[in-house]
Amino acid sequence: MSILVAGGAGYIGAHVVRLLLERGDEVIVVDDLSYGTPDRVDGAELVQLDVAGCGAVDALADLMEARGVSAVIHFAARKQVGESVARPGWYYQQNVGGLANMLMAMERARVDQMIFSSSAAVYGMPPVEVVDEDIEKKPINPYGETKLIGEWMMADSERAWGLRWAGLRYFNVAGAGWDDLGDMATLNLIPMVMERLADGEAPKIFGDDYPTPDGTCIRDYIHVKDLAAAHISALDYLASGEEMEANVFNVGTGVGASVKDVVSKVIKATGSNLEPEIMPRRAGDPPQLIGNPERIGRILKWKAEYDLDDIVESAFSAWQADPARKHF
Ligand SMILES: NC(=O)c1ccc[n+]([C@@H]2O[C@H](COP(=O)([O-])OP(=O)(O)OC[C@H]3O[C@@H](n4cnc5c(N)ncnc54)[C@H](O)[C@@H]3O)[C@@H](O)[C@H]2O)c1
């Protein structure tokens, strides 16, 4: 099978590329390298292209036809919530425009299978503790809106020309499947805490007066290698030709961990003796966000294998292996 992975040189995409290569699939990575790096996708063909740029539809369709692509996995997107609030036009151009180009190229090249990186951000501030896929979607920022619109675009393409698609709604992705594939960004909790500790500064906790057992926010942490495996399960499901029972799936564990829990595990892993500093709440943080994994378990036969200790240990190990990071 020949799989086109857009944004495959990034954090999550590179994990999926490695799993695909390990099982012998042919992989073509399309990435503009604005964020990802070529060394993360050794063994795959790499085509440097902005999927949201002019001429992308023709370039992508030609590539799909030339390589006999059977499915696309679409990671290519911008992912910073704050930036999406400041630059909504650019986020729509990149995330929605890039996906529109990809879908038009697929239609032209008759490639009818697509896996899309969606996000728990489509739920916004849900009124329930554990989120099912079918609750009302109310994203609270342009980033989350682009993900929800992406799901609508694929549903419309299914109706119009028979696209088979899966939208995977990731919860809090962390850890590293291999030391050379750690998260390059410092946007999520674990890398943010490690960065503060490596600089000899106390990690910050935003709000300890939420209605949760220890007062800090609760999130559903998913190991990036488990998340990558969910893409393989989804790919096999699309390729099976089975009638699709559902298109969107939470990729979570159904279990939450508090910010305090996570911070103390990171402090322990790094051997630091600094205590976290409590700051005021940040706007727009729901007290609790946990994904019900029942649907993905039942239909895609996927289940998380790693726990929070594995996540923290692997994130720390990749941090220490990364020459660009300040080490402990
Ligand atoms: N990391 C998370 O916690 C998280 C959570 C939910 C959803 N997601 C989604 O998963 C996907 C992958 O996330 P990630 O953490 O691996 O991000 P990342 O930034 O590490 O990877 C994205 C990759 O896409 C490339 N890219 C971006 N815009 C492009 C464009 N216009 N054309 C071609 N390539 C482009 C970047 O160079 C990068 O290699 C994104 O769609 C993101 O929104 C991530």
Side-chain angles (χ1 to χ4, degrees), residues 246-287:
N247 296 99
V248 289
F249 300 92
N250 287 336
V251 194
T253 65
V255 177
S258 75
V259 172
K260 232 179 218 169
D261 284 343
V262 176
V263 171
S264 70
K265 280 183 193 290
V266 178
I267 290 176
K268 193 163 161 233
T270 60
S272 164
N273 54 12
L274 288 163
E275 290 291 323
E277 191 183 335
I278 306 298
M279 311 291 291
R281 290 181 182 197
R282 289 183 309 197
D285 276 339

Side-chain angles (χ1 to χ4, degrees), residues 9 22 41 50 77 94 116 121 129 140 144 149 224-225 266 278 291 300 308 316:
E22 274 186 0
V41 291
D50 175 1
Q94 287 290 305
F116 173 67
E129 292 193 343
I140 56 166
I149 291 170
V224 66
K225 199 169 181 186
V266 178
I278 306 298
L300 300 189
L308 186 58
F316 179 61

